[in-house]
Amino acid sequence: MTEAEDRKPQSDEARMAFTPPAGIEVGDSESETTSEFALPTGLDVPQSTSSEPEGSAFTTPGGYSVEDASPAFTPATGIPRISLTKDLPWQDRMRTMLRMPVAERPAPERMPKVEEEGPAVPRVLDLTLRIGELLLAGGEGAEDVEAAMFAVCRSYGLDRCEPNVTFTLLSISYQPSLVDDPVSASRTVRRRGTDYTRLAAVYRLVDDLSDPESHISLEEAYGRLAEMRRNRHPYPTWVLTSASGLLAGAASVLVGGDLIVFVAAMLGAMLGDRLAWLCAGRGLPEFYQFTVAAMPPAAIGVALTLTHVDVKASAVITGGLFALLPGRALVAGVQDGLTGFYITASARLLEVMYFFVGIVVGVLVILYFGVNLGAKLDPDAALNISPRPYWQIAASMLLSLTFAVLLQQERSTVLAVTLNGGVAWVVYGAMHYTGEFSPVAATAVAAGLVGLFGQLMARYRFASALPYTTAAIGPLLPGSATYFGLLSIAQNNVDKGLVSLATAASLAMAIAIGVNLGSEISRLFLRIGSPEKRRAAKRTRGF
């Protein structure tokens, strides 16, 4: 072999960078292969004599000393301990922990109701989701639903749980420890109904579960939940239809109607309610139900005008609108937006918009044909409403009473919400008619008092605030502004109609924001425990 052939590599392996040079002996065993992180031969490193198993990333380092630790990340006095006062309502305690970072939440005290082997996690999560489903379907706000779900989990010792509520989906995740796999469950809310009696029963169940002195097992909780679902509504159908008519009649008196107007508005609302029930039985969506229900009051008002009956036809149509305006969904949507649940708030407000458009379509169809037939409907009649304090106060209380019946409230709460509605109208009338404040400002203040009194009553009874606030805002709903805006559009005064509809939207937002602000004021000034607890209400603002 020549010298050139001897320098020529025989294979690709001869050109590899990892081929050891000639003259270096390499063992055949793979165990002798080392990396750059291996300790050199001959270097003695003291080995730990501890028999503890290998730790994880969360294990305290072996050379760590508390005395020598730098105070750069942990204050010298330590992280302040968050203590929750036990005599507070569970809503406040759970809301505080939900707004608190997960690492700072205090661990729950072990309840006697928890068995020694630990709670059945899947069943606890299922019970939590079923309770949250009833609350969300009943119109409760997203934050209050999460607070209730959090309370149920913690009552059975599941402290590392995270509930999540959207408009139609409930989900919850529980992680036993940092190294265990989480357990998740979800539930979809497909049907919604208004039954505040059932809502109050669910709140009582959550309150009993949160009580450390109660001993409610999972089987007992499931039994009470099944009993709530089986219970029938407290008011029969004919009572609801009559309440809808009385509500429309009372609303017509608020805007200047007399006895004939009262009866006409009552008949129109009852007929619309029956037609809506018929559409619901046929499976039509709620959009068409609202459209059909808005037609009879408008048709009766137009008919009275065409027959030249000396009555205030606009009051008849306005009274029918009061029975249809979705005030409950509006308040819940704005409340979700103010508390940071923007997806749920957007969905609720979109639902309100669809309902409102359905009402607009139903009324506009009747007004369009009425105007073409020669009905003399005057949009300027809105400026000629004469204040009648005693009649209007009585009508506002009747409106709140019938609204409470339509919401299927407990009979024990009807009197309180009736008085609350009367107080709301007194405040509104004193500011708007006597003090000459703008309708938006007067509505916001009156709604704020409704929210404040409703929250106080809810705290006194450890119940939801919805039964004490939703019906009381009925007299403040923008029925007249909505009607006169639609009438102007039907008469081709689009600019004037849009201004009136914008006023109606401003009044609706004033109601919702006022109710929420009144509730927050009650929580702010009532006894809430240690000062450190208010730290949980702070939200991130981009930093």
Side-chain angles (χ1 to χ4, degrees), residues 129-403:
L129 289 174
R130 291 178 182 273
I131 290 177
E133 178 190 10
L134 288 181
L135 292 175
L136 186 62
E140 192 63 83
E143 187 178 36
D144 294 325
V145 176
E146 283 196 0
M149 295 172 64
F150 199 68
V152 174
C153 284
R154 288 181 66 89
S155 66
Y156 288 102
L158 306 186
D159 55 327
R160 294 178 177 270
C161 63
E162 284 296 329
N164 186 24
V165 176
T166 58
F167 185 58
T168 57
L169 182 65
L170 297 167
S171 62
I172 190 168
S173 177
Y174 169 68
Q175 189 173 13
S177 66
L178 293 174
V179 296
D180 292 331
D181 295 332
V183 181
S184 300
S186 62
R187 194 172 183 88
T188 303
V189 179
R190 301 189 183 276
R191 296 186 60 186
R192 299 177 183 274
T194 303
D195 189 346
Y196 282 0
T197 299
R198 181 178 297 173
L199 188 69
V202 175
Y203 262 78
R204 283 193 294 269
L205 174 60
V206 178
D207 185 48
D208 293 339
L209 290 174
S210 303
D211 187 3
E213 297 181 358
S214 64
H215 307 280
I216 301 178
S217 63
L218 279 174
E219 298 301 330
E220 293 173 345
Y222 268 109
R224 291 179 58 175
L225 198 61
E227 185 178 357
M228 295 174 199
R229 290 181 175 273
R230 287 194 301 265
N231 283 346
R232 301 184 62 182
H233 298 304
Y235 305 105
T237 304
W238 67 270
V239 174
L240 299 179
T241 303
S242 303
S244 178
L246 290 174
L247 189 154
S252 66
V253 174
L254 281 179
V255 294
D258 53 9
L259 181 59
I260 298 179
V261 172
F262 180 91
V263 175
M266 179 177 174
L267 293 177
M270 292 174 66
L271 180 58
D273 181 77
R274 286 293 85 201
L275 290 177
W277 276 98
L278 180 62
C279 294
R282 300 283 181 174
L284 289 178
E286 286 184 299
F287 175 86
Y288 302 105
Q289 297 176 28
F290 275 84
T291 302
V292 171
M295 289 182 175
I300 292 179
V302 171
L304 291 175
T305 303
L306 291 175
T307 55
H308 303 288
V309 179
D310 189 15
V311 295
K312 205 169 187 178
S314 60
V316 177
I317 304 175
T318 302
L321 290 178
F322 266 87
L324 298 175
L325 293 177
R328 172 183 59 88
L330 174 66
V331 172
V334 175
Q335 178 182 356
D336 288 341
L338 294 176
T339 52
F341 293 83
Y342 301 113
I343 296 178
T344 307
S346 301
R348 287 187 189 271
L349 294 178
L350 184 62
E351 180 188 40
V352 171
M353 187 193 72
Y354 271 101
F355 292 163
F356 187 76
V357 170
I359 297 171
V360 167
V361 171
V363 175
L364 271 181
V365 169
I366 301 299
L367 292 181
Y368 178 78
F369 284 105
V371 170
N372 289 335
L373 291 175
K376 303 298 182 180
L377 299 172
D378 186 12
D380 296 330
L383 303 176
N384 301 325
I385 299 177
S386 58
R388 298 174 297 172
Y390 298 107
W391 282 103
Q392 289 176 330
I393 292 174
S396 65
M397 295 178 67
L398 177 61
L399 194 153
S400 299
L401 172 64
T402 53
F403 203 173

Side-chain angles (χ1 to χ4, degrees), residues 115 117-126 156 158 218:
E115 294 80 3
E117 63 274 10
V121 174
R123 297 200 67 197
V124 172
L125 297 184
D126 180 71
Y156 288 102
L158 306 186
L218 279 174

Side-chain angles (χ1 to χ4, degrees), residues 428 438-449 476 507 509-511 513-515 517:
Y428 172 81
S438 68
V440 176
T443 300
V445 174
L449 289 178
L476 305 176
L507 292 173
M509 292 296 294
I511 292 173
I513 295 175
V515 170
L517 182 60

